Structures are given as C-alpha cells and as structure tokens.
Amino acid sequence: MENTNNTNSQSGTNNRNRRPFRSRRSPAHAATGQVRTATSPRHPAHRQPGSRVATGGHPDSGNRPGRRNNNNRNRRNNGGGNRRRSDKAPALTHRLDVTDQKSPFIPEITDEDTVRIIPVSGVEEIGRNMNIVETKDDIIIIDAGFQFVSEESNAPGIDYILPNTQYLEERKHKIRALIVTHGHLDHIGGIPFIMERIGNPPIYTQYLTSLMILKRQEEFPHMEPVNMNVVQEGESFTIGKTKIKTFPVTHSIPDAMGVCVETKHGDVVITGDIKLVHEEGKVVVEERASWEKVGLNKNIALLCDSTNADRQGFSATEARVFLTLEEIIRNAQGRLIIGTFASQFDRLISVIKVCEEMGKKVVMEGRSIKTNIDIAIQAKLLEVDQRTFINAGDMSDYPADRIVILSTGAQGEQFAALMRMATDKHKFITLTERDTIVLSSSVIPGNEIAVQKLKDNIYRKNVKVINYQGSHVHSSGHGNAGELVWVHQAVKPTFLVPVHGHHYHLKSHMYAAVENGFPRDHIAVPDNGTIIEIKNGLEMTILPMKIPTELMMVDGFTVGTRQEVVLRDRQTLAEDGMFVIIATVNTKNGKLRKSPDIISRGFVYLRENQQLLSEARVLIKKTVEKQTEHMNPVDLELVKDDLTNIVSGFLMQKTQKTPMVIPVLIGI
C-alpha cells in the first residue's frame, strides 16, 4: 500500500535522478538464472530451488518489527509482526475450538483445458491480498497478506484478519508454491500464520522481500523454517508441472514483481501492486518495454491492481516527491520531522542521503523504521556513514536546523512516535513553534479519524505542517485509471479480473476498461471467494458457489474462524458493561443465606443507583427461591440460566442497557 522510491543497490551515491522505485537487479546476478537463498550474502553460492534455509535474518538487523495496529490495545501499525512470545508460548497456527464454515461442494478440475482463478481475499477490502491459480495438477498461491483491525470492525481484541485458507487446506497436496510479489504487509503479513496450515510450501520472491519475510519469521521461533527461494526479476522457473515467469513492475517498494502463470492455453498474468513511470502521461521507454514483453505472450487473463482505479488519468511521479523533500530539507530553519510509512524504503533512503550530503543528522523514531533501514543496509540498497545517525537523546548536542527526524505514525497510530510527540508523551522530543512536520503519506481508508486527531494535536503546538494536499510530498504507489487502461492495452489479455480494492474500486476499474474498448462480458468483478474458470482459453465461467470466506482472525496466540460468542461478549462488555451477582444458596431448601452481593463494571455507578440495586436484590432473591421451590436436589446451573434471563430483562426495562449478567451461585 505504501509508496517508496528505489535507489541503485550497488552505489552509495545520490541516485535521486535515476528512474524511481523500480525493482532492481544486482549486477552480480544479472547474468544468471539460478535461484539463491535469502540468507546468503549479496554474492552467494547458488543452490537449486526447493532446498531449505533457516529463518534467521541478519543478526544485526536491529529491533524486531512493530506490533499490531494502535486501534487494538498497545500495538503499532507500522512494522507488522506479532507480539513477542516466550520460548514456552504455544504456536500460532492451531485452530480455535469452533466449527469451520462448512465447505460447499466444489468440483475438482479434471481436465488440462481448464484453469481456475480464485481471489481468496483482498477484493472486498484494502488488505489481506491472496489469489489462487489452479490447474488439474497444481495450485499456485500469489501473496498472503493480512489486514489490520480498525475500531469500526466490531472485533475487540483481534490482532489481524487473515485470508481464509480452508479451501487450500483441503487441497494442500496440490499446492506447489507461494509466490510473493512484494514486501508490503498486505501481501506478506499472513505468512507466519498460514504456512503450517497449507503444508509449508516453498516461497518464491525477490531478495528484499525475502529479507522482510525472514525478519518477521523471527517472531515465530516455534514454526518450521520456511523454504525460501530467491528469484530475480525476469527469471522463469517451473514448480510442479507449471512454469512461472516473473517481470519487474513499478511500485512503492523495491523488488516488486509481476507473475505470469503459464497454462496449456495461455498465461494468467498477476500484476501485484503497480504504477507506471511516466513523464506527463507518457510511459518511459524501460517501463514500456517491460510491459510490451509480457504482451507478446498469449495472455488469457489479467489480474490487475485496482486500488486507485477511481482516480482519472495518471498518478503523480515519485521523482517530483524526491525533489520537493530535498528542497524542504535544504531550507528547513529548525528541526524537521518527516512522518512516513516505514516501508517507504526509497523515500527513507533518499532523505538519508540528502541529509548526509548536507551534514545533517538523522534521528530514526519508530521500531519499524529502524528495522527497515537495517534491512536496506543489509540488502546494499543504502550505504551511509553511520555517524549520520544519532539517538534522540543526543539531539541537544546539535543545532536544531541540523536535525531531521524520520518518524512512524503518519496514520495517527496512538502509540507511534509522531502521536507521542504531538501529545507531549515522547521521552526526548517536545514540539515547538520552530519545528516543521512533513506528513509524507496519504490517508489509508479507515484511518481518517485517527489522522484528524493527529493533525489537531500537532496544530495545537503551532507547528508548521506540510502535507500531500498542499505540497508534492507524497505520491501513491498505485496507478490511476489511465495507467491501468494502458496496462490492459499493453498486455492484451482475453479476460480481465480487477483485484485489490473495495467493490467500488473494482467496478471503477471495470468501467474504465469498458470505456476504452474492453468487452464487458470478458470482465469478471469478483467477491472474496469467487471461483472463475476459463476453458480452452476462450470461455469464462463464474461458478455459482464460492470457497469458504469466513474471516480468519489472530487472537493472541490463537488463529481461527470468527468466534461469534466470544466477540459478541467482548462487544457487550465494551458497550454495556457487566453485572455480577454473587449469592449463597442453601442446597437443602433453596433459600438465600444472605442478601446477594452485586458488582457492576461499565454499567451503572451503584452508589448513585441504590433504588435499582435494592429492586435487583429483591428480584434475585425471589427468582432463586421460586426456581428452587420444588427442586430436589437443587440444580444451581439451571437456576443460573433462568436468573440470567430474568435479571437481563429487568435491567433492560430499567436502564435500556443490556449488560452481561454473570450469576455466581454458591451452594452451601
């Protein structure tokens, strides 16, 4: 989702004028088609696909990724990863004790002329992207992201939402590989949670993405090591009976790639997240050549990014953002604080290089920014004098106009560095009128309220604020409708499947394609779990059933389908509180030994509601003794059920609230 720009991986020089944010090829491997391991050095010994590597990552790669979304307790929305577990903590891949959504009957593919395409998730939402391409013999999975949980999700206590893998679990014998297009969390975040469920298939991706995946795997020491295979852009390889071809794409993170899955009657092309490098709407030569090469194949289907399909024309270029940020850094009179996504590798690298040239000091605020800068250094994307970096506690040793702070939290995350600065909760940084804050990111859908709170708090400090609405300090990593139509025309697919976005994004994509000559009946706008079949490369059918789509959730150390009772109870506690009844009952005659005790939390303040309390005690005594009047022996469990229903109705009548009523009856 985020946007970055790319620099040359082999050079420490300023590359701001180079072609922005393209997936890069290392010269050391440009002439070879071998697969190398993700844990090997930059000039590794090659190995064959399928060999196993450990999930170590670089030993000096800094802090672990940040934790879950700020909207969910004390987690952060800027680094991914799960909370740290002890060595004795259980694995995160067992199911909750619930019954899965029953799978509908889905016929198996029995001939080689049919290819099945299934957007598992990511087409009714932003996030948790996963697509499947299935033939008679093989299943290829493209991406495995997760989705952060927002305050509006009605899922208190849930960490992340995952793709539903039930269809894959039932066919894990056919799964040949997980191919990852790039390293953003909406494409890699689900990997630690689903790999054991689907048989731990080999992962194929490019070098930087592999480092990001392996870094996250450090959070899950109990898991079996992943089988990581590093490929280079443009490389082809065969898994099972299926040939896979990769091609470079432009996104907001280095090492982004598209994928062509070769089938009997033509290729299925998956773009991943894309935009185009262009000059005033004219696609540059290198970009054009890459896409036109894909178009030389017979392409039966194109699964294409739709995130910005509702925006007309071409998106803003990242090169413009670099020039704007450089000018702001050069002209800053006081401290400069740049809030951006931690995955904006090239933007972070560009800022650091400018600061190094100008003798300014960089403070990295946010665990995920520190982690990703360490990964960039390990991947040779960044070579910088370590003296450029200083700790926040040492800022007083330098003039204010020589300080640039790179900070997480531009999406308004409650516990991220930028919000702590804005609310005077940061240990070292207190905002002043001389400071300038650059919000170098757009607002992710769903974060509008949090970002507004952040801006309000910042403006209370009388700080100068520069954002993307008033200056070119951000560009999207997703192409507008004009770019998507250009891609259709370059790839020339028989069928189009818009993916990655809410339904209105997908429909906007469809309308843009139809307006530019694409046949309406050759476009399938899917929901999560839609099964699309293409026969002989010429006939497209949408099956009447879907694969299971019930939400898979990460809840602490457990992963499973939505527990309606648990979440409903949490919602009740959050909205109406609880009403606890504690009473001792004589098991011989069913009489209460004394007046029941009542505890209220989040419901009403009992000291100010003595009348309600008195009436409730009378009702409780009357209910218990009536229910036990003819019981022999006394069944307190049955009494609890009746007492819960009667007291709940009473409290609803008196207060128009429905707290959770918890009776505790002690038999004596």
Coordinates of all heavy atoms in Angstrom, one line a residue, residues 588-628:
K588 N -30.3 -27.4 50.6 CA -31.4 -28.2 51.1 C -32.8 -27.6 50.9 O -33.7 -28.4 50.5 CB -31.2 -28.4 52.6 CG -30.0 -29.2 53.0 CD -29.9 -29.5 54.5 CE -28.6 -30.3 54.8 NZ -28.5 -30.5 56.3
N589 N -32.9 -26.3 51.0 CA -34.2 -25.7 50.8 C -34.3 -24.6 49.8 O -35.3 -24.1 49.5 CB -34.7 -25.1 52.2 CG -33.8 -24.1 52.7 OD1 -32.9 -23.5 52.0 ND2 -33.8 -23.9 54.1
G590 N -33.1 -24.3 49.1 CA -33.1 -23.3 48.1 C -33.2 -21.9 48.5 O -33.3 -21.0 47.7
K591 N -33.1 -21.6 49.8 CA -33.2 -20.2 50.3 C -31.8 -19.6 50.3 O -30.8 -20.2 50.4 CB -33.7 -20.2 51.8 CG -35.0 -20.9 51.9 CD -36.1 -20.1 51.3 CE -37.5 -20.8 51.5 NZ -38.6 -20.0 50.8
L592 N -31.8 -18.2 50.1 CA -30.6 -17.5 50.1 C -30.1 -17.3 51.6 O -30.9 -17.1 52.5 CB -30.7 -16.1 49.5 CG -31.0 -16.0 48.0 CD1 -31.0 -14.6 47.5 CD2 -30.0 -16.9 47.2
R593 N -28.8 -17.5 51.8 CA -28.3 -17.4 53.2 C -28.2 -15.9 53.6 O -28.3 -15.6 54.8 CB -26.9 -18.0 53.2 CG -26.9 -19.5 52.9 CD -27.6 -20.3 54.0 NE -26.9 -20.2 55.3 CZ -25.9 -21.0 55.7 NH1 -25.5 -22.0 54.9 NH2 -25.4 -20.8 56.9
K594 N -28.0 -15.0 52.6 CA -28.0 -13.6 52.9 C -28.3 -12.8 51.7 O -28.4 -13.4 50.6 CB -26.6 -13.2 53.5 CG -25.5 -13.4 52.5 CD -24.2 -12.8 53.1 CE -23.0 -12.9 52.1 NZ -21.8 -12.4 52.6
S595 N -28.4 -11.5 51.8 CA -28.7 -10.7 50.6 C -27.6 -10.8 49.6 O -26.4 -10.8 50.0 CB -28.9 -9.2 51.0 OG -29.2 -8.4 49.9
P596 N -27.9 -11.0 48.3 CA -26.8 -11.2 47.3 C -25.9 -9.9 47.2 O -26.4 -8.8 47.3 CB -27.6 -11.5 46.0 CG -28.9 -10.9 46.2 CD -29.2 -11.0 47.7
D597 N -24.6 -10.2 46.9 CA -23.7 -9.1 46.6 C -23.8 -8.9 45.1 O -24.0 -9.8 44.3 CB -22.3 -9.5 46.9 CG -22.1 -9.6 48.4 OD1 -22.7 -8.9 49.2 OD2 -21.3 -10.5 48.8
I598 N -23.7 -7.6 44.7 CA -23.7 -7.2 43.3 C -22.5 -6.4 42.9 O -22.1 -5.4 43.7 CB -25.0 -6.4 43.0 CG1 -26.2 -7.3 43.2 CG2 -25.0 -5.8 41.6 CD1 -27.6 -6.6 43.0
I599 N -21.9 -6.7 41.8 CA -20.7 -5.9 41.3 C -21.1 -5.4 39.9 O -21.5 -6.2 39.1 CB -19.5 -6.8 41.3 CG1 -19.1 -7.4 42.6 CG2 -18.3 -6.0 40.7 CD1 -18.0 -8.4 42.6
S600 N -20.9 -4.1 39.7 CA -21.2 -3.5 38.4 C -19.9 -2.9 37.9 O -19.2 -2.2 38.6 CB -22.2 -2.5 38.5 OG -22.4 -1.7 37.3
R601 N -19.6 -3.2 36.6 CA -18.4 -2.6 36.0 C -18.8 -2.2 34.6 O -19.3 -3.0 33.7 CB -17.3 -3.6 35.8 CG -16.6 -4.0 37.2 CD -15.9 -2.8 37.8 NE -15.2 -3.2 39.0 CZ -15.7 -3.1 40.2 NH1 -17.0 -2.7 40.3 NH2 -15.0 -3.4 41.3
G602 N -18.7 -0.9 34.3 CA -19.0 -0.4 33.0 C -20.5 -0.3 32.7 O -21.0 -0.1 31.6
F603 N -21.4 -0.5 33.8 CA -22.8 -0.5 33.6 C -23.4 0.7 34.3 O -23.7 1.7 33.6 CB -23.4 -1.8 34.1 CG -24.9 -1.8 34.2 CD1 -25.7 -1.5 33.1 CD2 -25.5 -2.2 35.4 CE1 -27.1 -1.5 33.2 CE2 -26.9 -2.2 35.5 CZ -27.7 -1.9 34.4
V604 N -23.6 0.7 35.6 CA -24.1 1.9 36.3 C -23.2 2.0 37.5 O -22.6 1.1 38.0 CB -25.5 1.8 36.7 CG1 -26.4 1.8 35.5 CG2 -25.8 0.5 37.6
Y605 N -23.1 3.3 38.0 CA -22.4 3.5 39.3 C -23.4 3.2 40.4 O -24.4 3.9 40.6 CB -22.0 5.0 39.3 CG -21.1 5.3 40.5 CD1 -20.1 4.5 40.9 CD2 -21.3 6.5 41.2 CE1 -19.2 4.8 42.0 CE2 -20.5 6.8 42.3 CZ -19.5 6.0 42.7 OH -18.6 6.3 43.7
L606 N -23.1 2.1 41.2 CA -24.1 1.6 42.1 C -24.4 2.6 43.2 O -25.5 2.6 43.7 CB -23.5 0.3 42.7 CG -23.4 -0.9 41.7 CD1 -23.0 -2.1 42.4 CD2 -24.7 -1.1 41.0
R607 N -23.4 3.4 43.7 CA -23.7 4.3 44.8 C -24.8 5.4 44.4 O -25.4 5.9 45.3 CB -22.4 5.1 45.2 CG -21.4 4.2 45.9 CD -20.2 5.0 46.3 NE -19.2 4.1 47.0 CZ -18.1 4.5 47.5 NH1 -17.8 5.8 47.5 NH2 -17.3 3.7 48.1
E608 N -24.9 5.6 43.1 CA -25.9 6.6 42.7 C -27.2 5.9 42.2 O -28.1 6.5 41.6 CB -25.3 7.5 41.5 CG -24.1 8.3 42.0 CD -23.6 9.2 40.9 OE1 -24.0 9.0 39.8 OE2 -22.7 10.0 41.2
N609 N -27.2 4.6 42.3 CA -28.4 3.8 41.8 C -28.9 2.8 42.9 O -29.1 1.6 42.6 CB -28.1 3.1 40.5 CG -27.9 4.1 39.4 OD1 -28.8 4.4 38.7 ND2 -26.6 4.5 39.1
Q610 N -29.0 3.3 44.1 CA -29.4 2.5 45.2 C -30.8 1.8 45.0 O -31.0 0.7 45.4 CB -29.3 3.2 46.5 CG -27.9 3.6 47.0 CD -27.1 2.4 47.2 OE1 -27.5 1.4 47.8 NE2 -25.8 2.4 46.7
Q611 N -31.7 2.6 44.4 CA -33.1 2.1 44.2 C -33.0 0.9 43.3 O -33.6 -0.1 43.5 CB -34.0 3.2 43.6 CG -35.4 2.7 43.4 CD -36.1 2.4 44.6 OE1 -35.8 2.9 45.7 NE2 -37.1 1.5 44.5
L612 N -32.2 1.0 42.2 CA -32.1 -0.1 41.2 C -31.5 -1.3 41.9 O -31.9 -2.4 41.7 CB -31.2 0.4 40.0 CG -30.9 -0.7 39.0 CD1 -32.1 -1.1 38.2 CD2 -29.8 -0.2 38.0
L613 N -30.5 -1.0 42.7 CA -29.8 -2.1 43.4 C -30.7 -2.8 44.4 O -30.7 -4.1 44.4 CB -28.6 -1.5 44.2 CG -27.5 -2.4 44.8 CD1 -26.9 -3.2 43.6 CD2 -26.5 -1.6 45.6
S614 N -31.5 -2.1 45.1 CA -32.5 -2.7 46.0 C -33.5 -3.6 45.3 O -33.8 -4.7 45.7 CB -33.2 -1.6 46.9 OG -32.3 -0.9 47.6
E615 N -34.0 -3.0 44.2 CA -35.0 -3.8 43.4 C -34.4 -5.0 42.8 O -35.0 -6.1 42.7 CB -35.6 -2.9 42.3 CG -36.4 -1.8 42.8 CD -37.0 -0.9 41.7 OE1 -36.9 -1.3 40.5 OE2 -37.5 0.2 42.0
A616 N -33.1 -4.9 42.4 CA -32.5 -6.1 41.8 C -32.3 -7.2 42.8 O -32.4 -8.4 42.5 CB -31.1 -5.6 41.2
R617 N -31.9 -6.8 44.1 CA -31.7 -7.8 45.1 C -33.0 -8.5 45.4 O -33.0 -9.8 45.6 CB -31.1 -7.1 46.4 CG -29.6 -6.7 46.3 CD -29.1 -6.5 47.7 NE -27.6 -6.3 47.6 CZ -27.0 -5.1 47.7 NH1 -27.7 -4.0 47.7 NH2 -25.7 -5.1 47.6
V618 N -34.0 -7.8 45.5 CA -35.3 -8.4 45.8 C -35.7 -9.4 44.7 O -36.2 -10.5 44.9 CB -36.4 -7.3 45.9 CG1 -37.8 -8.0 46.0 CG2 -36.2 -6.5 47.2
L619 N -35.5 -8.9 43.4 CA -35.8 -9.8 42.3 C -35.0 -11.0 42.3 O -35.4 -12.2 42.0 CB -35.6 -9.0 41.0 CG -35.9 -9.8 39.7 CD1 -37.3 -10.2 39.6 CD2 -35.5 -8.9 38.5
I620 N -33.7 -10.9 42.6 CA -32.8 -12.0 42.6 C -33.2 -13.1 43.6 O -33.3 -14.3 43.4 CB -31.3 -11.6 42.8 CG1 -30.8 -10.7 41.7 CG2 -30.4 -12.8 43.1 CD1 -29.6 -10.0 42.0
K621 N -33.5 -12.6 44.9 CA -33.9 -13.5 45.9 C -35.2 -14.2 45.6 O -35.3 -15.4 45.7 CB -34.1 -12.7 47.2 CG -34.5 -13.5 48.4 CD -34.6 -12.6 49.7 CE -34.8 -13.4 50.9 NZ -36.0 -14.2 50.9
K622 N -36.2 -13.4 45.0 CA -37.5 -14.0 44.6 C -37.3 -15.1 43.5 O -37.9 -16.1 43.6 CB -38.4 -12.9 44.2 CG -39.8 -13.4 43.9 CD -40.7 -12.2 43.4 CE -40.8 -11.1 44.5 NZ -41.7 -10.0 44.0
T623 N -36.4 -14.7 42.5 CA -36.2 -15.7 41.4 C -35.6 -16.9 41.8 O -36.0 -18.0 41.5 CB -35.4 -15.0 40.3 OG1 -36.1 -13.8 39.9 CG2 -35.2 -15.9 39.1
V624 N -34.5 -16.8 42.6 CA -33.8 -18.0 43.1 C -34.7 -18.9 43.9 O -34.8 -20.2 43.7 CB -32.5 -17.7 43.8 CG1 -31.9 -18.9 44.5 CG2 -31.5 -17.0 42.9
E625 N -35.4 -18.4 44.8 CA -36.2 -19.2 45.7 C -37.4 -19.7 45.0 O -37.9 -20.9 45.3 CB -36.6 -18.3 46.9 CG -35.4 -18.0 47.8 CD -35.8 -17.2 49.0 OE1 -37.0 -16.8 49.2 OE2 -34.9 -17.0 49.9
K626 N -38.0 -19.0 44.0 CA -39.1 -19.6 43.2 C -38.6 -20.7 42.4 O -39.3 -21.8 42.3 CB -39.7 -18.5 42.4 CG -40.9 -19.0 41.5 CD -41.4 -17.8 40.7 CE -42.6 -18.3 39.9 NZ -43.2 -17.2 39.0
Q627 N -37.4 -20.6 41.8 CA -36.9 -21.6 40.9 C -36.6 -22.9 41.6 O -36.6 -24.0 41.1 CB -35.7 -21.1 40.1 CG -36.0 -20.0 39.1 CD -37.0 -20.4 38.0 OE1 -36.9 -21.5 37.6 NE2 -37.8 -19.5 37.6
T628 N -36.1 -22.8 42.9 CA -35.7 -23.9 43.7 C -36.8 -24.5 44.6 O -36.6 -25.5 45.3 CB -34.5 -23.5 44.5 OG1 -34.9 -22.5 45.4 CG2 -33.3 -23.1 43.7

